[in-house]
Amino acid sequence: MAKHLDLGLDTFGDVMADGEGRPLTHAQVLRNVVEQGVLADELGVDFFAVGEHHREDFAVSAPEVVLAAIAARTTRVRLGSAVTVLSSDDPIRVYQRFATVDALSNGRAEIILGRGSFTESFPLFGYDLKDYEELFSQKLDLLAALLRDNARPGGQASPEGVSWQGKLRPPLAGQHVYPLPESGTMKTWIGVGGSPESVVRAASYGLPLMLAIIGGSAARFKPYVELYHKAAAQLGTTPQAVGVHSPGYIADTDEQAREEFFPAFKANRDRIGAERGWPPMGRDEFEREVTHGSLYLGSPETVAAKIVRTAQALDLDHFDLKYSAGPLAHDKCLRCIELYGTKVIPLVREMLEG
């Protein structure tokens, strides 16, 4: 039997445009994201994740609040972050907030931890970027201890509680943290954008690996998957699921998908690129990413075939499509979600089983 592949959706709560091209308010974008998550649940999508940013062009700065709103209106879709910027957060509060979402959703919460691709949260919350590496390393160690030692199945506290000591905060000694997840823990991924050290770190904690592949061929990440399994074997941990997050968009035809998505994708890419010294993106670069890179764009048949190729090349357990892009309109996002749930997911399942 073919390996099961979970199929999910991601959004960063990009600030969309209205019918006249004007940006929507953050409040309206947040309401739209909830509607998108509800539709994903209705259509049988496995997973729906929202990102965390602290910028004007993204509306979601508190993903757990948005996920709780979606949880209250859904019954089956698993709900997660994409990603939680652990370096500038408190691991105990992250645990508590996701345990709350887990309770409200009847055990559907998942955490994807990462450093984030932006650094606005560091000065906002009073952290020094010179501590970038140590902040993530120590906070991950504390969160891993909470996930491992705080609770037992059935929503019961562990007898010992959590004991932990590091350099960046006072130690814990037999501490219990509430609320307690009913299953005893919550699925927690390590998001990796291209660092071998992060791959090894995920293996060392026995946590699932989520690869953020946003450009170039997905096959070039095969050595990271192999490293994850090799590191787990050497460290004596059990390798967990491997997933991929990549951008994309679905319309009825390949040409329609290109014409609808390109203006919004370029606007988003050029705005961020201007901050980082990148030249504006041309149509040729866009087309290369569609044809040879990690932009999953086109008709349902085209997108499904590309997802299958990536899943087989990397031996994946999970694939997430980041469907939002800058000012891309809400109705187009809804149509993309509809095609993903009704067309792409069945096609992928059929191809993998065949």
Side-chain angles (χ1 to χ4, degrees):
M1 179 178 291
K3 185 176 185 178
H4 177 78
L5 180 69
D6 277 346
L7 291 155
L9 291 165
D10 288 347
T11 178
F12 295 166
D14 307 56
V15 172
M16 308 165 188
D18 65 14
E20 304 299 321
R22 297 169 301 200
L24 299 178
T25 64
H26 289 120
Q28 185 58 56
V29 172
L30 290 168
R31 292 189 287 268
N32 288 349
V33 169
V34 172
E35 185 178 347
Q36 292 160 15
V38 170
L39 179 61
D41 178 72
E42 293 172 351
L43 296 174
V45 176
D46 294 316
F47 183 67
F48 188 83
V50 296
E52 174 194 343
H53 293 84
H54 303 272
R55 301 165 48 92
E56 183 180 11
D57 44 354
F58 298 105
V60 181
S61 61
E64 304 92 342
V65 179
V66 180
L67 295 173
I70 297 171
R73 295 180 53 191
T74 58
T75 58
R76 56 166 307 283
V77 67
R78 304 197 314 277
L79 301 167
S81 55
V83 299
T84 293
V85 185
L86 185 62
S87 306
S88 57
D89 211 331
D90 185 305
I92 293 176
R93 293 296 285 144
V94 169
Y95 181 93
Q96 290 177 319
R97 296 194 303 261
F98 273 95
T100 301
V101 175
D102 197 61
L104 295 174
S105 65
N106 291 301
R108 291 184 280 136
E110 299 186 13
I111 314 171
I112 303 179
L113 300 171
R115 304 163 189 266
S117 61
F118 298 94
T119 58
E120 288 87 354
S121 62
F122 285 81
L124 182 64
F125 298 120
Y127 292 100
D128 195 324
L129 278 170
K130 71 178 178 60
D131 298 322
Y132 186 82
E133 293 291 338
E134 190 170 17
L135 283 167
F136 186 76
S137 178
Q138 288 210 19
K139 291 186 177 191
L140 176 59
D141 192 59
L142 173 52
L143 185 56
L146 288 165
L147 293 166
R148 182 185 64 243
D149 299 333
N150 188 56
R152 296 290 181 266
Q156 302 298 311
S158 66
E160 302 84 6
V162 178
S163 296
W164 180 90
Q165 186 167 353
K167 298 179 181 178
L168 298 177
R169 59 160 293 141
L172 300 180
Q175 181 70 52
H176 291 100
V177 177
Y178 306 100
L180 298 166
E182 285 182 316
S183 69
T185 190
M186 293 171 286
K187 189 170 186 177
T188 300
W189 303 73
I190 301 294
V192 176
S195 164
E197 293 79 11
S198 293
V199 174
V200 173
R201 184 179 284 120
S204 71
Y205 286 108
L207 295 176
L209 178 71
M210 183 67 73
L211 299 167
I213 307 179
I214 60 175
S217 169
R220 65 194 174 92
F221 278 75
K222 181 68 173 177
Y224 285 9
V225 178
E226 294 170 348
L227 174 62
Y228 176 67
H229 287 277
K230 181 179 179 181
Q234 292 180 350
L235 294 166
T237 60
T238 302
Q240 303 296 314
V242 175
V244 161
H245 148 104
S246 288
Y249 180 72
I250 308 151
D252 292 303
T253 67
D254 289 352
E255 182 61 27
Q256 181 185 352
R258 281 173 160 85
E259 295 312 308
E260 289 181 354
F261 195 67
F262 176 70
F265 189 74
K266 175 177 170 56
N268 189 51
R269 162 67 165 71
D270 289 353
R271 182 179 59 252
I272 295 170
E275 300 171 5
R276 301 181 178 185
W278 302 342
M281 185 185 71
R283 185 68 184 239
D284 288 349
E285 180 184 348
F286 173 77
E287 294 292 344
R288 283 195 301 273
E289 282 299 321
V290 172
T291 305
H292 304 293
S294 293
L295 191 51
Y296 294 74
L297 183 143
S299 68
E301 295 78 11
T302 296
V303 172
K306 190 166 186 176
I307 290 172
V308 168
R309 289 196 297 272
T310 296
Q312 292 175 334
L314 300 181
D315 193 24
L316 295 182
D317 303 278
H318 187 109
F319 179 89
D320 284 341
L321 183 81
K322 197 270 186 180
Y323 63 90
S324 58
L328 186 69
H330 178 48
D331 63 334
K332 290 184 171 59
C333 289
L334 291 175
R335 178 60 175 161
C336 176
I337 292 169
E338 179 185 358
L339 290 170
Y340 189 74
T342 62
K343 302 288 187 180
V344 172
I345 289 178
L347 283 168
V348 170
R349 301 263 189 261
E350 181 181 338
M351 292 178 192
L352 289 174
E353 290 171 3

